[in-house]
């Protein structure tokens, strides 16, 4: 009788102990999960704040024109150089408009690309091919394709718009001697060719100095580096050189910019679809 009572007391004691351990473990797990959610929310908010400040510091330029040398390099280092004229128009209530015209060499002369970036929804993009004498619309599903054989995709040529991404602050890093924020940007467009971009922004001027692009398999695809910055109108920084390296193909595309002119009086008429056929 005493042994039976003793056994029942041991079982009851063990059950109470297990219940207490389970409750403690659950409480600890709940606190840990809540803490992780709070930290993630803070990282998202800080990533958004950094991106908003980056965008804010590059507004008000109205329009600009510039000349650009595009150098394509294959895996063996062989080069192909193209001369390009670029125009861009700032749109206050939407994404920017841009017109890219190829002047040299002869096989691409007269080719023109028109882009209407949008803060919400798919961008509108058209390519004029002089050999075919027609304007080709770029489908939103094809925007991950290469632009004129370069390592830039059609998607890369859109203006940066806050609404196109969600954000996460990843920490601070030194890049080329500059103390920088490191922010992950996740595209909201299901047709994007990327699962994420990792962007480095220098803390002093909020200039984007490096971007890593991750493909749909979440593998590192390309890295874009910005160098040799110059200040225009005492406010707007532009990189005179940018280089896109494709880590999977070994190819790269370098852009060298010069002859920037801001507030030249461009308007919507300069970026109409009809303007594609009028370029010289």
């Amino acid at each position: 009788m005493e042994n039976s009572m003793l056994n029942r007391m041991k079982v009851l004691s063990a059950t109470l102990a297990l219940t207490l351990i389970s409750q403690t473990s659950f409480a600890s797990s709940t606190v840990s999960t809540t803490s992780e959610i709070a930290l993630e929310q803070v990282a998202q908010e800080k990533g958004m704040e950094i991106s908003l400040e980056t965008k804010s510091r590059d507004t008000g330029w109205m329009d600009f024109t510039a000349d650009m040398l595009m150098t394509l390099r294959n895996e063996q280092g062989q080069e192909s150089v193209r001369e390009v004229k670029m125009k861009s128009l700032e749109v206050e209530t939407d994404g920017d408009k841009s017109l890219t015209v190829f002047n040299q060499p002869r096989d691409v002369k007269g080719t023109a690309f028109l882009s209407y970036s949008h803060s919400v929804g798919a961008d509108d993009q058209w390519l004029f091919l002089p050999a075919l004498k027609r304007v080709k619309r770029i489908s939103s599903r094809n925007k991950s394709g290469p632009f004129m054989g370069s390592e830039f995709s059609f998607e890369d040529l859109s203006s940066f718009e806050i609404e196109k991404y969600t954000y996460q602050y990843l920490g601070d890093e030194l890049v080329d001697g500059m103390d920088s924020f490191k922010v992950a940007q996740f595209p909201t467009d299901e047709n994007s060719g990327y699962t994420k971009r990792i962007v480095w922004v220098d803390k002093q001027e909020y200039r984007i100095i490096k971007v890593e692009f991750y493909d749909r398999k979440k593998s590192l695809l390309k890295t874009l580096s910005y160098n040799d910055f110059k200040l225009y109108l005492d406010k707007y920084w532009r990189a005179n050189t940018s280089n896109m390296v494709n880590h999977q193909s070994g190819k790269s595309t370098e852009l060298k910019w010069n002859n920037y002119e801001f507030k030249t009086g461009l308007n919507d008429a300069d970026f109409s679809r009809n303007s594609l056929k009028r370029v010289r």
Side-chain angles (χ1 to χ4, degrees), residues 180-234:
S180 306
F181 299 114
K182 184 179 179 181
V183 179
Q185 300 177 342
F186 304 93
T188 57
D189 186 353
E190 63 180 11
N191 291 318
S192 173
Y194 310 118
T195 51
K196 69 177 177 181
R197 309 189 325 170
I198 295 181
V199 178
W200 284 261
V201 179
D202 84 275
K203 291 184 177 182
Q204 184 173 353
E205 303 294 346
Y206 281 81
R207 300 169 298 191
I208 295 176
I209 54 179
K210 187 172 79 168
V211 184
E212 287 182 347
F213 300 83
Y214 290 77
D215 64 18
R216 289 172 178 168
K217 296 180 180 179
K218 300 183 179 181
S219 299
L220 177 61
L221 175 61
K222 302 182 296 189
T223 298
L224 176 60
S225 302
Y226 294 95
N227 300 286
D228 189 20
F229 283 91
K230 185 176 179 180
L231 185 62
Y232 294 88
L233 303 181
D234 296 321

Side-chain angles (χ1 to χ4, degrees), residues 128-170:
F128 174 64
L129 302 169
L132 301 178
K133 297 182 179 180
R134 72 181 184 91
V135 175
K136 175 185 177 183
R137 185 182 180 90
I138 307 301
S139 167
S140 60
R141 293 188 177 184
N142 295 329
K143 65 181 183 180
S144 61
F147 172 67
M148 295 294 291
S150 73
E151 297 314 303
F152 289 85
S153 70
F154 288 97
E155 181 176 1
D156 299 333
L157 303 180
S158 297
S159 62
F160 172 67
E161 304 300 328
I162 293 295
E163 296 85 352
K164 287 183 175 180
Y165 302 91
T166 59
Y167 304 87
Q168 185 176 29
Y169 168 69
L170 301 178

Side-chain angles (χ1 to χ4, degrees), residues 6-20:
L6 183 59
N7 287 337
R8 285 200 295 269
M9 290 179 65
K10 287 182 177 179
V11 170
L12 179 60
S13 177
T15 301
L16 289 172
L18 286 172
T19 300
L20 181 60

Side-chain angles (χ1 to χ4, degrees), residues 86-180:
M86 174 79 175
K87 299 178 181 179
S88 190
L89 179 70
E90 188 176 30
V91 181
E92 291 185 7
T93 57
D94 202 357
D96 302 335
K97 296 181 179 181
S98 65
L99 178 62
T100 306
V101 181
F102 288 80
N103 294 326
Q104 293 291 341
R106 182 178 298 178
D107 62 337
V108 295
K109 182 177 176 62
T111 302
F113 173 67
L114 179 64
S115 178
Y116 292 178
S117 298
H118 299 302
S119 55
V120 178
D123 298 334
D124 292 309
Q125 297 179 325
W126 301 269
L127 187 67
F128 174 64
L129 302 169
L132 301 178
K133 297 182 179 180
R134 72 181 184 91
V135 175
K136 175 185 177 183
R137 185 182 180 90
I138 307 301
S139 167
S140 60
R141 293 188 177 184
N142 295 329
K143 65 181 183 180
S144 61
F147 172 67
M148 295 294 291
S150 73
E151 297 314 303
F152 289 85
S153 70
F154 288 97
E155 181 176 1
D156 299 333
L157 303 180
S158 297
S159 62
F160 172 67
E161 304 300 328
I162 293 295
E163 296 85 352
K164 287 183 175 180
Y165 302 91
T166 59
Y167 304 87
Q168 185 176 29
Y169 168 69
L170 301 178
D172 298 344
E173 277 188 16
L174 277 177
V175 179
D176 295 332
M178 290 180 282
D179 196 10
S180 306

